[in-house]
């Protein structure tokens, strides 16, 4: 039995197809099939039911795959220990980022990180929180940036910053004349929201639930972007809440519609998250230091650093 054979088994278990698994592991299909067959012969079992389309794991194969994941992860830890001992910060690193953070935070730290860690081959993917959790647990991501807390015992969280919510209130709205707003001013009935799947949407709904119950069937207008929500608000269809970093990029003519909350401001917690196996910690540490440093040094909110512990609501 070899680590390579176990990696091939995991690839077939994931893709349910020998050809696709071979492509993903960069070997020929006959080579992959032969190695898995040799393992089955050695163990005197069938790992896959090849008569099914797509291929399925046998009962014992399902148990073997679970153990194989642990073995492969631990084998990768050996190289990780060596890298850390040598102080080496490099290699491929797969990072997931939620959509409501990606467009604002990425430009702030990416250049900095690339210059500090030129040997890291960073692969970044925009994903919703649910997909991030799944990929972290399956080993398809090394880390991610997401709204927390997630309350998942398999995932570790390191806070990067707390990001205040800011109201975007057009001139026609009932709250426009208020310089600062309170959470008690919010009405879910005139709140424009992101589409399902965005954790920021859940945070806004949770915030509004403190003042009024939410009817799941009430909203017909929803969007996948803050830009669209701003346009809808400008048309007099309601107000919306934005994460603070997003407000830095809106048009100057629209900034008059920004209304801040009285302190303590509701905010979301944004963290760097990773699997409890703690692989590639030297890169995770470098990434955390870079992001936290850039945000702490560059962003202020009403003369208070955004990194400071502001009041927060559950964002996911």
């Amino acid at each position: 039995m070899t680590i390579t054979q176990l990696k091939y088994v995991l690839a077939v278990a994931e893709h349910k197809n020998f050809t696709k698994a071979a492509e993903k592991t960069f070997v020929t299909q006959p080579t992959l099939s032969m190695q898995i067959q040799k393992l089955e012969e050695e163990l005197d079992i069938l790992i896959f039911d090849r008569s099914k389309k797509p291929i399925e794991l046998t009962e014992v194969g399902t148990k073997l795959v679970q153990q194989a994941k642990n073995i492969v992860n631990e084998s990768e830890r050996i190289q990780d220990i060596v890298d850390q001992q040598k102080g080496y910060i490099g290699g491929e690193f797969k990072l997931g980022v939620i959509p409501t953070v990606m467009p604002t935070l990425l430009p702030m730290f990416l250049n900095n990180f690339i210059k500090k860690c030129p040997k890291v081959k960073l692969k970044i993917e925009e994903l919703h929180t649910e997909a991030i959790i799944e990929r972290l647990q399956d080993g398809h991501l090394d880390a991610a940036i997401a709204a927390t807390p997630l309350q998942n015992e398999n995932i570790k969280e390191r806070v990067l910053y707390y990001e205040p919510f800011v109201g975007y209130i057009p001139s026609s709205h009932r709250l426009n004349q208020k310089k600062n707003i309170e959470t008690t001013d919010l009405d879910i009935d005139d709140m424009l929201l992101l589409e399902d799947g965005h954790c920021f949407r859940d945070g806004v709904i949770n915030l509004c639930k403190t003042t009024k119950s939410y009817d799941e069937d009430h909203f017909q207008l929803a969007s996948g972007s803050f830009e669209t929500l701003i346009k809808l608000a400008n048309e007099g269809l309601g107000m919306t809440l934005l994460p603070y970093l997003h407000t830095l990029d809106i048009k100057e003519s629209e900034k008059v519609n920004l209304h801040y909350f009285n302190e303590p401001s509701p905010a979301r917690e944004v963290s760097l998250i990773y699997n409890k196996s703690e692989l590639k910690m030297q890169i995770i540490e470098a990434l955390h230091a870079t992001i936290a440093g850039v945000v702490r040094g560059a962003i202020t909110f009403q003369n208070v650093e955004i990194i400071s512990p502001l009041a927060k609501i559950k964002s996911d």
Side-chain angles (χ1 to χ4, degrees):
M1 182 189 304
T2 67
I3 298 297
T4 299
Q5 287 173 329
L6 295 179
K7 287 181 177 179
Y8 292 163
V9 168
L10 292 178
V12 175
E14 178 185 355
H15 298 288
K16 303 184 187 302
N17 181 284
F18 279 82
T19 302
K20 287 182 181 178
E23 290 174 358
K24 294 296 181 181
T25 52
F26 307 104
V27 294
T28 64
Q29 191 268 327
T31 298
L32 180 138
S33 297
M34 181 184 67
Q35 287 299 321
I36 291 178
Q37 187 175 347
K38 283 178 65 175
L39 179 59
E40 289 178 321
E41 290 172 355
E42 178 185 341
L43 298 174
D44 193 25
I45 61 168
L46 282 178
I47 300 173
F48 299 101
D49 183 345
R50 294 163 174 79
S51 66
K52 300 287 181 64
K53 299 293 181 184
I55 292 169
E56 291 183 4
L57 286 163
T58 61
E59 183 177 349
V60 68
T62 301
K63 295 178 181 178
L64 184 144
V65 163
Q66 292 304 315
Q67 188 60 32
K69 288 180 180 178
N70 296 332
I71 294 170
V72 170
N73 283 340
E74 289 303 313
S75 71
E76 291 175 349
R77 182 184 288 277
I78 294 173
Q79 184 61 53
D80 194 57
I81 290 170
V82 174
D83 288 344
Q84 290 189 49
Q85 185 65 30
K86 292 179 178 179
Y88 175 72
I89 303 178
E92 184 177 277
F93 191 84
K94 293 166 286 188
L95 179 71
V97 187
I98 59 173
T100 56
V101 166
M102 179 88 131
T104 51
L105 183 63
L106 207 60
M108 292 178 64
F109 80 85
L110 189 54
N111 226 14
N112 245 348
F113 181 77
I114 291 172
K115 289 177 181 177
K116 286 182 179 179
C117 306
K119 294 181 181 179
V120 176
K121 186 179 179 182
L122 201 57
K123 292 189 174 182
I124 303 172
E125 191 173 1
E126 184 178 284
L127 298 163
H128 290 296
T129 305
E130 187 176 334
I132 281 175
I133 293 172
E134 182 179 334
R135 295 197 185 197
L136 277 174
Q137 294 182 149
D138 287 346
H140 294 125
L141 285 178
D142 296 305
I145 299 172
T148 53
L150 298 176
Q151 298 176 331
N152 186 308
E153 62 181 15
N154 296 315
I155 292 175
K156 293 201 170 187
E157 304 171 1
R158 292 190 62 186
V159 177
L160 291 166
Y161 56 89
Y162 296 120
E163 183 174 25
F165 287 26
V166 180
Y168 185 85
I169 307 172
S171 58
S172 59
H173 194 274
R174 60 185 174 82
L175 296 178
N176 182 265
Q177 297 306 310
K178 295 196 70 169
K179 182 179 178 182
N180 290 72
I181 56 176
E182 303 276 358
T183 56
T184 52
D185 292 325
L186 303 179
D187 188 335
I188 195 71
D189 287 340
D190 63 10
M191 187 70 65
L192 297 167
L193 300 172
L194 290 172
E195 295 169 340
D196 281 332
H198 291 276
C199 56
F200 192 83
R201 168 194 171 94
D202 299 335
V204 173
I205 291 173
N206 285 337
L207 184 60
C208 291
K209 276 182 179 177
T210 62
T211 58
K212 186 173 180 179
S213 62
Y214 172 57
D215 179 1
E216 294 285 350
D217 298 323
H218 176 77
F219 283 98
Q220 299 299 319
L221 278 175
S223 171
S225 73
F226 289 118
E227 287 73 19
T228 302
L229 293 183
I230 289 172
K231 289 179 181 177
L232 293 173
N234 289 340
E235 291 298 318
L237 295 172
M239 65 168 286
T240 193
L241 295 184
L242 305 172
Y244 175 70
L245 291 180
H246 189 87
T247 68
L248 303 179
D249 295 328
I250 69 171
K251 300 174 184 176
E252 286 298 322
S253 60
E254 294 176 330
K255 288 187 176 180
V256 67
N257 294 329
L258 295 177
H259 293 252
Y260 299 95
F261 284 88
N262 285 319
E263 294 292 342
S265 172
R268 65 172 175 175
E269 180 182 87
V270 178
S271 301
L272 184 62
I273 64 175
Y274 48 93
N275 195 285
K276 67 177 182 180
S277 61
E278 297 188 342
L279 290 170
K280 303 185 181 180
M281 280 306 296
Q282 69 277 30
I283 300 178
I284 290 171
E285 293 285 355
L287 195 58
H288 186 277
T290 302
I291 297 172
V294 167
V295 174
R296 183 184 296 112
I299 306 300
T300 59
F301 174 65
Q302 295 181 323
N303 297 321
V304 178
E305 288 186 354
I306 194 172
I307 200 74
S308 65
L310 299 166
K312 58 182 182 291
I313 66 170
K314 185 179 177 185
S315 300
D316 207 330

